[in-house]
Amino acid sequence: ARRGVLNIHPSPLPHGRGPDPVFWVFRNGERDTGVTVHLMDDGLDTGPILAQQRMAVPDEMDAVTLERHLFEIGARMAARLAPRMLAGAAVFSPQDDLAATYQPAPAVRDWIFSPLLPAAWAWRFVQGVAPLHGPLAVQSGGKLIPVRRAIAWGEDGEPPDTLPSK
């Protein structure tokens, strides 16, 4: 491509380089994220940035919905910037490699969490990634207990006596 190739990446680069940054938002308990439009180069998510927008991660948003939302924002940003790109007048900012983070595609161990972690983090993680249908489990007493979804959490109190079947 004479003017380059733009990529819409669902993280605020250089933070969140890698193939599945939205999963890692939930895994790492991050409360904000963003989307970046950048020029592709030979590296993975390393090209200069044309535009970026940050946002808080709403509690009710799961990974599928969040990723779709970020790509929609990124597509609108790229559409507004395309005329400058085509005219050769786009202004790019280099990424700070010293501030970069990279996460690989999630491995099985990345879907497992401890019951000793804060309840709010566990609830957000399960709510966020359950729609991805990975091998989500809690590790307790040396056993892996499969988890399908999170029902609720609270600072105090006992779990309900009965749980819904779905």
Side-chain angles (χ1 to χ4, degrees), residues 1 137 139 149 162:
Q139 186 167 10
R149 66 188 178 105
T162 59

Side-chain angles (χ1 to χ4, degrees), residues 59 113 115 117-128 130 147-164 166:
D59 284 341
F113 62 98
L117 291 167
W121 177 93
W123 183 83
R124 286 185 190 105
F125 177 60
V126 172
Q127 284 292 99
V147 176
R148 287 189 301 179
R149 66 188 178 105
I151 297 169
W153 74 277
E155 296 291 336
D156 299 308
E158 296 296 318
D161 291 331
T162 59
L163 297 176
K166 289 190 175 187

Side-chain angles (χ1 to χ4, degrees), residues 1-155:
R2 292 189 325 253
R3 302 279 184 218
V5 176
L6 292 180
N7 183 47
I8 300 169
H9 187 76
S11 81
L13 292 173
H15 177 76
R17 290 177 179 173
D20 199 353
V22 173
F23 172 88
W24 292 101
V25 164
F26 290 99
R27 176 66 188 169
N28 295 334
E30 297 172 10
R31 301 301 292 143
D32 68 292
T33 189
V35 60
T36 304
V37 178
H38 70 100
L39 187 65
M40 292 185 71
D41 62 9
D42 290 338
L44 181 62
D45 305 323
T46 59
I49 295 170
L50 179 58
Q52 192 169 77
Q53 184 174 327
R54 296 184 76 88
M55 67 172 277
V57 179
D59 284 341
E60 67 277 1
M61 209 174 265
D62 62 41
V64 172
T65 306
L66 178 59
E67 188 169 72
R68 183 180 320 118
H69 183 66
L70 291 169
F71 277 120
E72 288 169 354
I73 292 169
R76 287 192 295 273
M77 290 171 25
R80 284 192 307 269
L81 297 164
R84 279 190 271 173
M85 182 79 176
L86 294 172
V91 177
F92 294 93
S93 301
Q95 292 190 41
D96 179 359
D97 287 337
L98 296 177
T101 62
Y102 174 84
Q103 297 286 354
V108 170
R109 71 181 173 278
D110 300 317
W111 292 85
I112 299 168
F113 62 98
S114 166
L116 302 178
L117 291 167
W121 177 93
W123 183 83
R124 286 185 190 105
F125 177 60
V126 172
Q127 284 292 99
V129 303
L132 301 176
H133 305 293
L136 190 56
V138 63
Q139 186 167 10
S140 181
K143 295 181 182 179
L144 288 180
I145 303 165
V147 176
R148 287 189 301 179
R149 66 188 178 105
I151 297 169
W153 74 277
E155 296 291 336

